[in-house]
Amino acid sequence: MKRKLIAAIGVAGMLVSVAACGGDDKDDKKSGADGFKGETLTLWAMDGSTPDQWQKDVTAAFEKKTGAKLKFEVQQWNGIQQKLTTALSEENPPDVFEIGNTQTAAYAKTGGLAELGDLKESIGADWTESMNKASVIDGKQYAAPWFVLNRVVVYNKKIWADAGIKTLPKTRAEFLKNLKQIGQKTDAEPIYLPGQNWYHFVGLTIGEGAELVKKDGDKYVSNLDDPKVTAAMKTYKQFADLSKAPKNKDEATPQQAEIFAKGKTGAFIGMSWEAATAIKANKKIEKDIGFFTIPGATADKPEGVFLGGSNLAVAATSDKQELAKEFLKIALSDKFEGQFAKEGGTIPNKKALESNLKGNAAAEAAAPATAGGGTTPLIPEWGAVENPPNPIKNYMTAVLNGKSPADAAEQVEGELNKRLAQKQ
């Protein structure tokens, strides 16, 4: 699976309105496999999302059960928002499609997605609540949670051992103590944390129970001056102060995994696929790489994390509504959701299925934080916020350069509010 592509899911794209009309259900007369013979269901899946064997197995199971054919169409990330928006407004849209979890609300509010409340009742009673939240808009189920990834601590076992650290930290305070010990007892940089690793900051705000925006009348505005957001930024600064990383760059500029690959960094906060990036840069580092869950304020609750992932949705204008739901029942069954997690290393949509991650150290480290994770605000207006230059990144840099959180929030408030007011 292409981890860099999956990481891009977290970026909400700019969307235009979908002129979608509610389609009549033309499949409700059908029942059982025979009722779907001769039909073809079209599925759009993003490049790198579906493991090959899973794709073969779920296709075979679907065609055996329904008598219909399944047509997989792999889509590229570049330009997908506009392509999907256009497709959903036409007469023959993809019947089922993968959609970024943070993008789901925008498509639902423009009428592009079919309601799936009955599917939730039949197979989704134990879906992980934090994952399913992105599929529910205005109290209605418009998609099904498929998978997520989140950030973990990637650390250098040798450096930690050289510093005399024998056990991994269980709390944020212990983590800080360990990093300071690395700084005192080795010549390594304790942690590489650039000033604009903003998805980690989003995770910290989630852990504090904070919201980045708030409602002001009929519009959304900045909430960066909230004390809970301030608390999250102060936590970020505690760790960033132990890093030599630039305060005005993010984790991809330069690639933090390539910095880590040099063997002079104790840890970084990153995605599981970044370990492969480090190994590609320096094969010798592989034996020293370890992973652990980002520790929270207390040992019983991991740090908040941003959940970047995908949902599966059905086009509102598809004339194969029931067939689409049959596919979802198969693809999201315990058998195939578990297989997907095992082969892809992604977090499945049910806690009970996380046993499929056994042996995948990075995924095992990520899983415990999932229940307490979340996303950026699930509103269509959010799309414009992440376009560069991201005002929240500028807020972070300002705080790390010495401004008070209140002054930094005020500094970017105008730009943030301007973006939140843009028509979608």
Side-chain angles (χ1 to χ4, degrees):
M1 183 169 289
K2 299 178 181 178
R3 301 287 184 243
K4 291 186 180 180
L5 293 177
I6 290 174
I9 292 170
V11 181
M14 181 164 37
L15 305 173
V16 296
S17 294
V18 180
C21 57
D24 293 331
D25 187 352
K26 300 178 182 178
D27 290 312
D28 56 6
K29 64 182 184 295
K30 301 176 180 178
S31 62
D34 291 344
F36 299 113
K37 279 188 176 179
E39 295 201 21
T40 298
L41 187 80
T42 300
L43 167 68
W44 280 13
M46 301 310 300
D47 184 27
S49 288
T50 54
D52 291 342
Q53 191 59 51
W54 179 90
Q55 182 174 325
K56 293 176 183 177
D57 291 346
V58 81
T59 298
F62 171 80
E63 295 185 349
K64 180 179 180 180
K65 181 178 179 182
T66 66
K69 295 295 183 182
L70 179 62
K71 183 180 181 183
F72 263 89
E73 293 188 355
V74 177
Q75 304 298 316
Q76 301 301 314
W77 287 108
N78 187 30
I80 186 58
Q81 283 84 24
Q82 183 59 54
K83 184 176 181 180
L84 181 56
T85 296
T86 300
L88 292 178
S89 68
E90 297 176 339
E91 291 185 1
N92 296 302
D95 303 297
V96 180
F97 49 92
E98 176 183 351
I99 185 173
N101 57 353
T102 59
Q103 300 165 353
T104 304
Y107 285 108
K109 289 189 175 183
T110 54
L113 311 185
E115 289 187 40
L116 300 176
D118 55 345
L119 187 77
K120 172 69 165 66
E121 291 180 4
S122 63
I123 67 169
D126 52 351
W127 284 340
T128 299
E129 184 178 355
S130 61
M131 289 179 62
N132 190 50
K133 185 177 180 181
S135 295
V136 179
I137 296 88
D138 296 332
K140 296 180 180 180
Q141 190 83 33
Y142 281 103
W146 194 14
F147 66 86
V148 295
L149 291 171
N150 58 58
R151 284 159 178 77
V152 297
V153 180
V154 185
Y155 75 105
N156 186 310
K157 296 176 182 179
K158 182 179 184 303
I159 290 174
W160 283 57
D162 289 346
I165 302 169
K166 301 184 184 300
T167 59
L168 294 175
K170 300 297 183 184
T171 67
R172 186 189 299 155
E174 291 175 2
F175 188 18
L176 279 167
K177 181 180 178 181
N178 290 158
L179 294 177
K180 290 176 181 178
Q181 189 169 327
I182 290 171
Q184 294 165 356
K185 296 192 175 182
T186 75
D187 61 356
E189 181 179 12
I191 186 171
Y192 185 86
L193 183 61
Q196 297 184 348
N197 188 339
W198 89 285
Y199 278 119
H200 176 48
F201 170 63
V202 169
L204 295 177
T205 66
I206 291 165
E208 292 288 346
E211 298 289 347
L212 295 174
V213 299
K214 61 186 177 183
K215 204 72 180 288
D216 180 18
D218 61 352
K219 61 183 179 180
Y220 288 96
V221 297
S222 171
N223 196 39
L224 291 182
D225 60 353
D226 185 280
K228 292 179 180 179
V229 176
T230 295
M233 190 61 223
K234 287 182 176 179
T235 296
Y236 191 100
K237 188 175 186 301
Q238 283 184 294
F239 288 89
D241 283 348
L242 300 175
S243 175
K244 299 175 184 176
K247 295 179 174 61
N248 63 343
K249 302 291 183 182
D250 62 20
E251 68 277 15
T253 316
Q255 287 288 342
Q256 61 182 3
E258 294 178 355
I259 300 296
F260 179 81
K262 297 176 182 178
K264 294 293 184 180
T265 304
F268 70 92
I269 307 294
M271 305 293 287
S272 58
W273 55 262
E274 292 185 83
T277 301
I279 294 167
K280 183 178 180 180
N282 177 16
K283 180 67 176 176
K284 294 180 180 178
I285 198 77
E286 184 171 9
K287 67 182 185 305
D288 296 326
I289 295 179
F291 308 89
F292 60 88
T293 309
I294 306 173
T298 58
D300 61 333
K301 185 178 180 181
E303 190 61 86
V305 292
F306 172 78
L307 302 176
S310 284
N311 297 328
L312 288 173
V314 175
T317 52
S318 168
D319 61 0
K320 301 182 179 70
Q321 299 283 320
E322 293 305 314
L323 184 56
K325 291 174 185 177
E326 286 300 317
F327 169 78
L328 292 177
K329 289 175 183 178
I330 294 169
L332 300 174
S333 66
D334 287 359
K335 176 182 178 180
F336 288 111
E337 181 74 0
Q339 180 182 344
F340 190 94
K342 186 173 184 177
E343 293 179 4
T346 55
I347 312 302
N349 62 16
K350 296 181 180 180
K351 177 71 175 177
L353 298 178
E354 290 177 5
S355 58
N356 289 280
L357 302 175
K358 187 174 182 180
N360 184 324
E364 287 186 280
T370 304
T375 66
T376 48
L378 297 171
I379 56 175
E381 294 87 349
W382 185 258
V385 173
E386 298 188 26
N387 293 331
N390 185 329
I392 297 178
K393 286 186 174 183
N394 291 337
Y395 161 82
M396 296 170 68
T397 295
V399 173
L400 296 178
N401 280 331
K403 277 189 178 292
S404 70
D407 287 345
E410 184 178 2
Q411 176 180 310
V412 303
E413 183 180 74
E415 178 61 25
L416 183 53
N417 289 346
K418 178 182 176 182
R419 296 182 182 211
L420 288 169
Q422 289 182 18
K423 299 296 183 182
Q424 302 302 310

